[in-house]
């Protein structure tokens, strides 16, 4: 993995970083690269309150905040920003407000790499709004000065439209951190942790591939679909 000057990760929800990016974050931290994670909301509208309930609508954001802080600690992130937007309403925020939020982070941190969702291919409206805001902010930077923009994509049609990932990071050296980040978000991931761990015991090829590799797409500026 190429050594970066500064990495900026921007996602809307606690746990967005855990599934497919925590190994990459952990590797950058291990390499001595400063990593800032800007999490736009506290996931307070999550539907999983347990059965029997472990949380109320009022207590859920406090729980998810603690889980986010624990996951950041597991990955070694020193700079965790909680940006104070509301879950499931990011898509309704003023576009320019979101652009200025991202631009402020870029101007402050001068990242060489930004990681976010690929707009058009990340399914959830908050994911899409976050990815669009990042693309719009980076697009305002002169081309020769833009940081690299690595995006996460997982919609059903993504590979047929944007091709296979052009960045695959080997994160096999930090699998403990990746599992740890997943476990930190236990209110969201508890249902899948047991299944993943059982498959790992069986050396399931798909689960091993998920654990040891993380896939990204360089944003295709030549095919920029964000208005």
């Amino acid at each position: 993995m190429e050594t970066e000057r500064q990495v900026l990760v921007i996602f809307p929800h606690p746990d967005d970083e855990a599934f497919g990016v925590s190994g990459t974050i952990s590797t950058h931290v291990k390499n001595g690269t400063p990593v800032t994670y800007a999490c736009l909301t506290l996931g307070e509208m999550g539907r999983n309150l347990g059965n029997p309930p472990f949380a109320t609508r009022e207590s859920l954001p406090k729980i998810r905040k603690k889980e986010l802080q624990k996951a950041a600690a597991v990955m070694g992130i020193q700079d965790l920003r909680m940006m104070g937007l509301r879950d499931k309403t990011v898509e309704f925020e003023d576009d320019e407000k979101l652009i200025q939020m991202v631009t402020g982070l870029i101007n402050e941190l001068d990242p060489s790499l930004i990681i976010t969702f690929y707009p058009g291919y990340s399914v959830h409206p908050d994911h899409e709004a976050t990815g669009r805001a990042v693309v719009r902010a980076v697009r305002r930077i002169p081309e020769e000065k833009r940081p690299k923009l690595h995006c996460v994509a997982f919609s059903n049609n993504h590979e047929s439209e944007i091709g296979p990932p052009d960045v695959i990071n080997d994160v096999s050296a930090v699998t403990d951190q990746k599992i740890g980040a997943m476990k930190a978000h236990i209110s969201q991931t508890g249902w899948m942790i047991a299944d993943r761990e059982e498959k790992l015991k069986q050396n399931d090829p798909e689960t091993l591939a998920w654990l040891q590799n993380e896939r990204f797409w360089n944003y295709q500026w030549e095919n920029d679909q964000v208005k």
Side-chain angles (χ1 to χ4, degrees):
M1 193 182 305
E2 189 173 344
T3 300
E4 300 294 340
R5 180 181 64 251
Q6 162 81 48
V7 176
L8 172 59
V9 180
I10 305 177
F11 289 127
H13 309 121
D15 80 3
D16 283 338
E17 84 293 342
F19 296 93
V21 180
S22 55
T24 295
I25 291 173
S26 299
T27 302
H28 282 301
V29 171
K30 189 177 179 182
N31 290 343
T33 301
V35 176
T36 296
Y37 177 20
C39 188
L40 301 193
T41 83
L42 288 179
E44 57 268 45
M45 296 301 289
R47 287 186 291 181
N48 180 20
L49 299 178
N51 184 19
F54 63 83
T56 64
R57 186 59 63 201
E58 290 72 29
S59 67
L60 186 62
K62 296 176 184 175
I63 292 171
R64 298 203 65 184
K65 179 179 179 180
K66 288 182 179 178
E67 292 176 346
L68 175 62
Q69 291 169 325
K70 185 175 181 180
V74 168
M75 292 181 283
I77 293 175
Q78 299 291 317
D79 186 12
L80 171 64
R81 313 279 181 102
M82 288 173 268
M83 306 303 290
L85 300 185
R86 187 169 176 78
D87 187 20
K88 293 191 176 178
T89 66
V90 178
E91 63 175 315
F92 303 114
E93 294 283 352
D94 178 75
D95 286 343
E96 188 61 28
K97 172 186 170 182
L98 289 178
I99 294 169
Q100 290 303 321
M101 177 183 287
V102 175
T103 298
L105 291 166
I106 293 173
N107 290 343
E108 174 192 344
L109 298 165
D110 189 23
S112 54
L113 170 65
I114 299 176
I115 296 173
T116 191
F117 285 116
Y118 205 122
Y121 303 100
S122 50
V123 180
H124 189 291
D126 283 354
H127 298 176
E128 296 288 343
T130 302
R132 287 195 301 270
V134 173
V135 166
R136 288 166 176 151
V138 175
R139 190 167 56 199
R140 292 182 179 182
I141 301 171
E143 190 171 348
E144 68 277 9
K145 295 182 179 179
R146 289 175 187 164
K148 288 177 284 187
L149 181 53
H150 289 180
C151 300
V152 176
F154 55 91
S155 65
N156 288 337
N157 62 336
H158 68 286
E159 287 212 24
S160 65
E161 297 195 9
I162 58 175
D166 55 355
V167 177
I168 299 179
N169 291 332
D170 178 353
V171 298
S172 54
V174 292
T175 54
D176 287 347
Q177 289 92 328
K178 186 166 182 173
I179 291 290
M182 291 281 290
K183 287 183 174 179
H185 293 288
I186 193 66
S187 71
Q188 300 298 303
T189 59
W191 61 275
M192 71 175 68
I193 285 292
D195 179 61
R196 291 280 188 183
E197 290 189 321
E198 183 58 34
K199 288 182 176 177
L200 282 173
K201 289 179 184 175
Q202 300 169 5
N203 290 320
D204 174 65
E206 183 179 341
T207 303
L208 286 171
W210 162 79
L211 183 64
Q212 296 174 350
N213 298 284
E214 292 181 345
R215 300 155 24 114
F216 300 89
W217 284 255
N218 274 291
Y219 187 72
Q220 297 173 3
W221 292 107
E222 70 281 9
N223 187 32
D224 185 2
Q225 301 291 322
V226 175
K227 296 181 180 177

